[in-house]
Amino acid sequence: MSITQESELIGMKKASEAVAYTLKEMRNFAQAGMSTKELDNYGGQILNDLGAKSAPFLTYGFPGWTCISVNNEFCHGIPSEKRILKEGDLINIDVSAELGGFWSDNGGSFVIGNDVNQHQKLVEASKQILHKAIHQIKGGVRIADIGFLIETEAKKRGYRVIKNLTGHGIGRSLHEAPSEIANYRDKYNLTRFKKNSVVAIETFISTTSTYAETLQDGWTMVGNMGGFMAQHEHTIVVTDGKPLILTEMNDIWNLSQ
């Protein structure tokens, strides 16, 4: 969507604060010995208390309030009572929701407890690359150039990017134009970021894979060559200068983990 009046900005801020607060609280709540379903129910209750509705559930009938992916699962992981979190697990939580007719999206990967499996370096790379990419975005910048920056920064650190997972426009629904804000330079994408538009920018930084494939459950995605992936995501408003980061209160950039 494009912000054309103050009431729209206020609505987007409220929806964004709801998902950002939920993500932050879920991350603080998550610990070894807990099921991903327990963690999801906790997040779902927070959204409900804030008057927000789960976007994946509302839009796709997703079997959970949030997407929780663990270790080799890259995204869209289904919360389960059978999936028990362990010390050192790499976990990704993606929280998106609708509130008052406005939609917002954010996510983050982190390590449960001590980093016994050495995933923290990947997590940090994803966070840093997202920060760098977002601060290069303003009206008129080519979407493909931001993709090039993300892939270049990933390669510098010895990582790859997932080519079939992308950021997207958002606002009046979960996915809007521009539909594909890729993590690589798509030379066929000639579109540019527009001032006052609302977009969800996501990193998909991977150890070995370059594509994500869907498992038989119809939701969970894993890498075509295995390995691990870290994702971080903010919903922003594009301006002429520094973007307005609507989900900043999730604190993903202020954490050591």
Side-chain angles (χ1 to χ4, degrees), residues 142 144 184-190:
R142 278 183 188 264
Y184 68 100
R185 183 179 173 269
D186 178 357
K187 64 183 181 183
Y188 300 107
N189 187 351
L190 305 178

Side-chain angles (χ1 to χ4, degrees), residues 133-148:
I134 282 178
H135 287 87
Q136 294 298 315
I137 294 173
K138 55 185 176 182
V141 170
R142 278 183 188 264
I143 287 176
D145 287 349
I146 295 302
F148 179 69

Side-chain angles (χ1 to χ4, degrees), residues 86-144:
K86 298 190 293 295
E87 190 86 3
D89 276 351
L90 175 64
I91 177 175
N92 177 270
I93 304 176
D94 196 308
V95 183
S96 54
E98 178 272 334
L99 178 61
F102 296 94
W103 301 65
S104 189
D105 195 353
N106 73 160
S109 296
F110 61 99
V111 174
I112 296 290
N114 294 316
D115 184 30
V116 293
N117 300 313
Q118 308 300 305
H119 292 308
Q120 192 59 39
K121 191 171 162 225
L122 175 65
V123 169
E124 289 301 323
S126 175
K127 285 199 284 195
Q128 290 164 11
I129 293 168
L130 181 67
H131 189 278
K132 191 160 191 174
I134 282 178
H135 287 87
Q136 294 298 315
I137 294 173
K138 55 185 176 182
V141 170
R142 278 183 188 264
I143 287 176

Side-chain angles (χ1 to χ4, degrees), residues 152-256:
T152 301
E153 290 294 324
K155 281 180 177 173
K156 265 190 213 170
R157 293 164 169 83
Y159 297 120
R160 298 176 169 195
V161 297
I162 302 301
K163 299 206 167 181
N164 61 328
L165 296 175
T166 67
H168 51 91
I170 192 169
R172 287 295 189 180
S173 62
L174 181 57
H175 290 104
E176 298 179 346
S179 61
E180 293 195 354
I181 303 172
N183 277 205
Y184 68 100
R185 183 179 173 269
D186 178 357
K187 64 183 181 183
Y188 300 107
N189 187 351
L190 305 178
T191 54
R192 298 173 185 270
F193 287 101
K194 294 190 175 92
K195 183 187 174 187
N196 297 326
S197 67
V198 185
V199 290
I201 305 299
E202 313 183 51
T203 51
F204 298 98
I205 310 302
S206 146
T207 56
T208 53
S209 290
T210 52
Y211 285 89
E213 298 172 341
T214 307
L215 294 181
Q216 284 186 324
D217 65 18
W219 296 104
T220 311
M221 299 190 85
V222 299
N224 64 326
M225 295 168 71
F228 300 92
M229 186 196 78
Q231 177 259 20
H232 290 85
E233 174 184 22
H234 272 306
T235 291
I236 70 170
V237 179
V238 180
T239 71
D240 275 339
K242 192 179 171 186
L244 180 59
I245 303 163
L246 297 173
T247 47
E248 194 157 28
M249 74 173 286
N250 69 22
D251 270 352
I252 59 175
W253 287 331
N254 300 333
L255 294 163
S256 60

